[in-house]
Amino acid sequence: MKHLKKIFETKPKSEYVHEMFDKLAVDYDLMNNIISFGRHKFVKKHVIKNVPIRYGMNILDVCTGTGDIPLFIAKKFGNSVKIIGVDFSEKMLEIARKRNDKYDNAEFINADALNLPFEDKSFDVVFISFGLRNLADLRKGIIELQRVTKKGGYVVNLDMGKPKGIAGCMFRLYFYWLVPLLGKLFHGSSEPYVYLPESCESFPAQEELVRIFYELGFDDVKNYNFAFGALAQQIAKV
Ligand SMILES: C[S@@+](CC[C@H](N)C(=O)[O-])C[C@H]1O[C@@H](n2cnc3c(N)ncnc32)[C@H](O)[C@@H]1O
């Protein structure tokens, strides 16, 4: 955390994150496959399966990156749903748009997660995957997701969790030592992969996130752990 604290003294978090993802964009998918052994795709598909998506729904994916969630949904549900992915990194969006060569029910828009360009109650389901942790203000981010979700709809978060016991020790070893090394080796810079574990330190554990969702007025908040709690999904009803 020391490293990030120092950086954020001279640069706002949003600016740092924006620049980092612009630089990382071309290697983002490759690096995700390497550091998760390809498992991130399986988890994302499972996360989508856990949500009651139905015909005619309007879906939003905030901090969409290279568009995994919208593209998996577009593939699974076809034209029966409409999905928009938003991100503030144009470089990430360029890749998302390039990958989207088949689905005209998925579109990608440049926007800030903390100031979404949508009317209140526009979407049935709003996803955010590995995005919340990167926002300058976690609560403001959740409130913005809640604002654009219809009453009775769902906000769905997937992010790093905090595994306990032996799994937690092994995970921390991997995350703090091996992942930055893999970043250096395959991306040519360990910077984003030093940021990754450090950004998790100040990010609430899954149990705490569930509490925050309730505190902000959500109902029926469910948590699903993956990989012994190293990853966690919350589904919160608006
Ligand atoms: C770790 S990536 C996650 C990408 C994708 N959702 C996934 O699961 O692979 C985080 C993304 O959040 C975006 N991001 C971070 N802060 C943002 C903000 N305030 N507004 C919009 N996008 C943001 C970054 O540009 C980056 O593409």
Side-chain angles (χ1 to χ4, degrees), residues 14 17-18 20-22 24 28-29 32 40 44 61-70 86-90 92-93 110-116 128-136 158 195-196:
S14 61
V17 167
H18 194 164
M20 187 182 72
F21 281 105
D22 269 353
L24 177 60
Y28 181 76
D29 290 331
N32 266 358
H40 73 105
K44 283 169 182 161
D61 181 40
V62 177
C63 296
T64 195
T66 56
D68 275 353
I69 297 279
V86 304
D87 203 284
F88 68 4
S89 163
E90 197 49 40
M92 296 290 266
L93 289 172
N110 193 320
D112 189 336
L114 296 178
N115 188 17
L116 293 168
I128 184 160
S129 153
F130 302 105
L132 216 44
R133 183 172 31 86
N134 294 302
L135 301 183
L158 169 68
Y195 166 82
L196 176 60

Side-chain angles (χ1 to χ4, degrees), residues 223-236:
N223 181 76
Y224 298 93
N225 282 339
F226 302 94
F228 303 103
L231 301 171
Q233 170 188 23
Q234 295 83 42
I235 303 180

